[in-house]
Amino acid sequence: MRGRDSETGEFLGASRSQQRREALDVLELAETLTGLPGGQLAALPIPEELLPHLNDARRITSHIAKKRQIAFLAKQMRRQDDEALDAIRDALDAHSEGSKRQVADMHRAEEWRLRLIEGGDDAMAAFVDTHPDADRQRLRQLVRNAKDEAARNKPPRAFRELFREIRSAFEGGNTASHDFDADVADDDSSDA
């Protein structure tokens, strides 16, 4: 029961609204956990006593039964320390940031691949300028082969290899933060 401290007049506990918000946050976390793939779930710091309840919630396919099991999982999670729940949330946030970064790197590599195939020598010079460790000769050969494959309707072997070569240039030069916008912004800021 929430009361007031007789000396200070402050409330002793959280309000019912605050308790409800916290319970709904835990329920949302439980729903998120049940929707994760097994490999990603294994990487999270989930307490041992929650694993059977989590596995049950993942196994159940009936909508109402699943909803009821997720609510039970959330109830069990609320019994855990706040530190345990915060650790799970932090691990989820870190994983989602890592996934976003990987997707952005893949899009950047795809943009560079198309730019190299369509842009010719200017695009190659721009790529080698931003990634000096890249093998220019290998890239030229792969671009030439990718164009040839497209013209002959052959399987895109060199096209894929070009993508891998660009990704390794990103990782080797540790310049994953470079993209077209950043390059243009760097050029603009050096003029100012």
Side-chain angles (χ1 to χ4, degrees):
M1 186 128 164
R2 187 174 188 210
R4 285 186 183 245
D5 187 358
S6 59
E7 295 176 13
T8 63
E10 294 180 8
F11 289 107
L12 294 175
S15 67
R16 288 182 64 193
S17 297
Q18 180 62 31
Q19 290 173 352
R20 180 163 172 74
R21 282 190 294 270
E22 291 170 1
L24 288 174
D25 286 344
V26 173
L27 179 64
E28 185 179 330
L29 179 61
E31 288 173 351
T32 302
L33 290 177
T34 57
L36 292 177
Q40 187 177 351
L41 199 59
L44 297 176
I46 299 173
E48 289 291 323
E49 58 270 11
L50 293 179
L51 290 177
H53 306 299
L54 183 59
N55 290 332
D56 288 343
R58 290 170 46 94
R59 181 180 46 80
I60 295 172
T61 57
S62 171
H63 177 70
I64 296 299
K66 187 174 191 80
K67 187 175 179 180
R68 190 171 38 246
Q69 185 63 33
I70 289 172
F72 181 71
L73 172 63
K75 179 181 177 181
Q76 299 303 317
M77 290 173 71
R78 285 193 305 271
R79 293 180 178 174
Q80 297 293 316
D81 295 336
D82 288 338
E83 292 82 27
L85 297 179
D86 288 341
I88 293 171
R89 286 185 183 108
D90 291 343
L92 278 173
D93 289 344
H95 182 73
S96 73
E97 283 299 315
S99 295
K100 288 178 186 176
R101 200 172 313 117
Q102 283 180 335
V103 169
D105 287 346
M106 287 179 59
H107 287 298
R108 192 171 16 263
E110 177 65 26
E111 288 171 359
W112 270 114
R113 175 171 62 180
L114 294 175
R115 186 174 175 191
L116 287 173
I117 290 173
E118 296 169 0
D121 290 337
D122 294 337
M124 183 65 67
F127 184 79
V128 173
D129 285 345
T130 58
H131 304 88
D133 296 337
D135 185 1
R136 181 186 289 244
Q137 184 177 2
R138 173 84 173 131
L139 288 171
R140 282 187 189 280
Q141 178 186 10
L142 289 172
V143 167
R144 201 171 34 249
N145 291 347
K147 286 179 182 179
D148 186 50
E149 287 171 354
R152 293 181 173 190
N153 269 347
K154 292 207 169 215
R157 195 174 131 234
F159 190 73
R160 292 181 185 131
E161 183 62 31
L162 178 60
F163 182 81
R164 285 191 289 270
E165 191 72 26
I166 292 169
R167 289 289 305 262
S168 68
F170 284 167
E171 294 165 4
N174 203 9
T175 56
S177 62
H178 278 291
D179 62 352
F180 304 127
D181 298 332
D183 294 338
V184 171
D186 290 343
D187 292 342
D188 291 342
S189 63
S190 63
D191 293 340

